[in-house]
Amino acid sequence: MLSLREATVLADVAEAKVRKDIETGLLTPIKSTNLERLLFRWADVFVFAAVYKGDLLSAALRRKAFEELEGLVAPSGRRHFYEHLDAESLLDATLTRDRPSQLLGACDRLTLDDYLFIDVAKLVEDLAPRLDLYAKGLTHIEEKEGVLGGEAVFKNTRLSVNHIGKMREGGEKIENILEDYPYLRKNDVEFARLYFKSHPTVGRPPRSEEIGVAGSPSSR
């Protein structure tokens, strides 16, 4: 499952637009009765991008888009599959496919009105690389007690994911980052940027010795 922030970052849409529809009841997140967090499916990234990328869809058309797009989601990723899960199972839910880009069925366009449609093929083409990169990147990081206060780090290192993401988001060139941290790959850096945007750091910034500035894995 994804947080609201993750879903909107991956869809590249304004979080405020989504929150407004949640508040009015037009959009419903996946929630258990004893779970306070707003959770969304990977497939919802496509939904958010299709519905909120522009400002042309009325509330009625947004509602119709939600319903029509749900029909394109793979059966294993549809809402009813998650809505019966309790909080613990919901938080532990994992992708049933290696690539979340495969969660949306093949469809060139989705008609909403006589002359209005969603270009589904373009939607998938634009978002698939970002979703798959993020999903794979999550398998390359870990949170360990006693390492940076439990902050996410790249596996087998003490290198903060948010540190790398902040560098990239701030305009640092990928080649410069890879030169300083040669055990990273280009995809690691691009993933870290998305992770940083969807997991803003709370509290004091880590000291230099905490973020692995020496550029070496913690295997020693």
Side-chain angles (χ1 to χ4, degrees):
M1 304 300 292
L2 297 170
S3 68
L4 175 59
R5 178 71 63 89
E6 284 178 303
T8 54
V9 166
L10 291 172
D12 193 24
V13 298
E15 185 176 326
K17 291 183 179 181
V18 183
R19 284 193 177 277
K20 184 176 181 180
D21 276 354
I22 293 174
E23 291 168 0
T24 61
L26 186 64
L27 176 67
T28 306
I30 306 293
K31 290 182 64 176
S32 289
T33 54
N34 57 338
L35 188 66
E36 295 182 356
R37 292 175 56 192
L38 300 180
L39 297 179
F40 292 88
R41 307 164 298 167
W42 287 82
D44 285 321
V45 176
F46 292 107
V47 176
F48 288 180
V51 173
Y52 297 109
K53 196 68 174 178
D55 298 309
L56 300 178
L57 298 184
S58 64
L61 284 174
R62 293 200 301 278
R63 186 184 299 276
K64 183 174 183 180
F66 294 147
E67 296 171 353
E68 296 293 334
L69 286 164
E70 185 67 18
L72 297 182
V73 177
S76 61
R78 291 180 182 167
R79 296 186 66 88
H80 65 80
F81 178 80
Y82 295 101
E83 288 176 339
H84 74 278
L85 299 178
D86 58 29
E88 183 177 354
S89 299
L90 193 59
L91 289 172
D92 290 339
T94 57
L95 278 171
T96 56
R97 295 169 183 254
D98 293 336
R99 294 185 295 167
S101 60
Q102 298 175 336
L103 288 171
L104 210 62
C107 175
D108 288 336
R109 61 172 59 181
L110 189 65
T111 302
L112 296 182
D113 209 341
D114 289 344
Y115 305 108
L116 183 64
F117 66 89
I118 294 174
D119 189 338
V120 178
K122 178 63 173 173
L123 175 70
V124 173
E125 178 185 352
D126 289 347
L127 266 64
R130 192 183 313 157
L131 260 70
D132 291 344
L133 180 145
Y134 191 76
K136 189 171 184 178
L138 289 175
T139 68
H140 294 164
I141 67 174
E142 60 186 354
E143 296 177 0
K144 298 175 64 176
E145 185 177 352
V147 178
L148 300 193
E151 183 180 343
V153 297
F154 291 99
K155 284 185 176 180
N156 301 317
T157 79
R158 295 180 61 85
L159 179 59
S160 164
V161 178
N162 267 346
H163 172 62
I164 297 299
K166 183 177 181 179
M167 290 175 65
R168 179 59 181 148
E169 181 67 11
E172 188 65 56
K173 293 181 179 180
I174 292 181
E175 52 265 33
N176 292 342
I177 297 175
L178 296 180
E179 183 177 351
D180 289 340
Y181 304 97
Y183 50 89
L184 296 181
R185 299 170 299 175
K186 179 180 178 181
N187 281 352
D188 293 326
V189 177
E190 292 293 16
F191 160 77
R193 183 182 68 85
L194 292 172
Y195 190 89
F196 168 72
K197 292 177 68 175
S198 55
H199 295 78
T201 302
V202 178
R204 71 167 180 81
R207 298 188 298 271
S208 59
E209 62 269 22
E210 293 180 324
I211 57 178
V213 294
S216 57
S218 60
S219 56
R220 59 181 184 276

